[in-house]
Amino acid sequence: MDAPREDRKGEAPWKMSGEELEKQYSPSRWTVRHGPEETQRIYSEIGIEATRRARATRRSLLGVPYGAGDGETLDVYFPEAAAADAWPLFVFLHGGYWQSGSKDESAYMAGPLTARGVAVVVVGYTLAPKATLDQMADQVAQSIAFVQKRFPCNEGIYLCGHSAGAHLATMMLLENWTTERGVTPNFKAFFLISGVYDLEPIVHTSVSAPLRMTPEDARRNSPQWHLEAASTKPWGPACPVLVIVGQHDSPEFRRQSRELFQTLCRGGWRASFEDIQDVDHFEIIWKLTEQDYVLTQIILKTIFPEF
């Protein structure tokens, strides 16, 4: 675990040239074993195959609507020995910079987790430019409220997001659930994997164009700026938040994860920092297909402390 360091008072650490900013926020340019295009191809193929296998070998509910809007559906993969509805629920939000990716190619962890008695929920949401960040965050909150109501006897919701999905998962720490959603999800832990939590640097990259993101939008949708106040929520600090990053993520992605962890610590959250060795931005998630992968084991140990 990285030790917290002092904040840079009055300094924007991401300030750099436009060219360097593009490089820092282009994860495929930091891969270590394959070129950018091959990495993207492998990432997609592994996700598609893992999802196909899960649908072929696990009892599932596919394309379940949690709302009436475009893309507002989710898939549920049930444990092998499914009895009643009292399982832990691992809810996953895919990445893709809020403009690509799909639940239909993101069930990486369904095999290993369902084999251990965990139900896996993979959430779809509307992508940019059809949706704004505010709309995506609202959809994710809708999906979690739906899951809690659909499976009220669950043994805990373990919310996980990768990359843009990690951002959306972190936004759920800011929700006023009972007031705005009429339900208090049974959150037991958050897994935030290789995410972006301060969106201000993104405004100055090509990623921003499909999002139509203004500086005001970026600040409103940056959990980094709001989490200390959110720790006053009754379920907040008691819920573990695991901030996870890959050794070969870009320096900016690693900085963002460290600084989110530090903010959580200052706010009194029960936060931890996991630096997964010898993986890049894509490998960190696709290796969840493997039962013995270190992150798979961290997830299982969090869900089942006796594991």
Side-chain angles (χ1 to χ4, degrees):
M1 178 188 299
D2 284 1
R5 59 175 176 75
E6 291 298 315
D7 279 349
R8 301 177 178 91
K9 301 298 185 183
E11 179 186 351
W14 55 267
K15 290 290 188 182
M16 57 188 71
S17 71
E19 181 180 355
E20 180 61 22
L21 208 56
E22 283 289 332
K23 180 180 178 181
Q24 288 286 335
Y25 286 95
S26 299
S28 62
R29 297 174 69 175
W30 297 86
T31 57
V32 293
R33 272 169 280 276
H34 308 284
E37 291 184 4
E38 186 180 5
T39 296
Q40 294 277 15
R41 178 184 60 78
I42 294 171
Y43 176 56
S44 178
E45 288 178 354
I46 291 175
I48 290 169
E49 175 57 23
T51 304
R52 184 203 65 76
R53 191 183 316 118
R55 291 176 175 181
T57 62
R58 299 293 190 265
R59 186 169 68 89
S60 60
L61 294 173
L62 304 178
V64 180
Y66 62 80
D70 177 42
E72 294 179 354
T73 61
L74 53 80
D75 297 337
V76 187
Y77 301 92
F78 296 101
E80 293 178 335
D85 289 347
W87 331 276
L89 295 169
F90 185 88
V91 179
F92 182 67
L93 308 174
H94 68 80
Y97 259 147
W98 308 279
Q99 53 200 280
S100 65
S102 166
K103 70 176 180 61
D104 299 323
E105 54 186 49
S106 298
Y108 302 96
M109 69 299 296
L113 295 193
T114 56
R116 299 293 305 187
V118 180
V120 173
V121 181
V122 185
V123 176
Y125 53 92
T126 308
L127 303 174
K130 288 185 178 180
T132 64
L133 286 171
D134 295 280
Q135 291 169 327
M136 293 178 215
D138 181 70
Q139 288 179 324
V140 171
Q142 284 185 60
S143 74
I144 293 167
F146 172 85
V147 167
Q148 178 63 43
K149 292 174 182 177
R150 180 70 177 263
F151 304 109
C153 298
N154 71 77
E155 293 183 351
I157 292 175
Y158 296 82
L159 182 59
C160 177
H162 172 238
S163 197
H167 161 265
L168 293 171
T170 312
M171 291 294 289
M172 298 304 100
L173 295 171
L174 306 175
E175 278 287 318
N176 293 311
W177 290 98
T178 304
T179 302
E180 297 180 4
R181 307 291 171 180
V183 65
T184 301
N186 186 24
F187 286 127
K188 294 296 185 182
F190 286 68
F191 302 94
L192 311 176
I193 304 173
S194 295
V196 180
Y197 311 105
D198 175 4
L199 303 190
E200 192 173 0
I202 299 291
V203 174
H204 305 279
T205 72
S206 59
V207 172
S208 184
L211 298 167
R212 307 185 301 278
M213 183 167 58
T214 67
E216 293 74 24
D217 295 332
R219 177 60 71 99
R220 187 175 59 255
N221 285 282
S222 291
Q224 172 70 18
W225 295 99
H226 307 293
L227 275 171
E228 287 189 63
S231 66
T232 59
K233 296 182 187 302
W235 54 269
C239 185
V241 181
L242 289 79
V243 183
I244 302 159
V245 69
Q247 178 186 2
H248 302 303
D249 266 305
S250 79
E252 272 293 278
F253 272 81
R254 290 177 58 81
R255 176 188 68 81
Q256 290 236 6
S257 290
R258 282 196 308 271
E259 294 190 357
L260 180 76
F261 167 64
Q262 292 157 10
T263 297
L264 290 165
C265 290
R266 287 195 304 271
W269 294 83
R270 189 179 160 194
S272 62
F273 188 93
E274 301 288 346
D275 194 341
I276 307 300
Q277 296 301 294
D278 199 33
V279 294
D280 60 35
H281 188 82
F282 303 94
E283 293 167 334
I284 197 171
I285 200 71
W286 85 42
K287 287 172 73 68
L288 286 176
T289 55
E290 302 170 9
Q291 184 79 43
D292 295 333
Y293 172 44
V294 62
L295 184 52
T296 307
Q297 296 299 301
I298 288 171
I299 290 168
L300 287 170
K301 183 69 174 178
T302 304
I303 299 173
F304 305 111
E306 71 283 2
F307 176 72

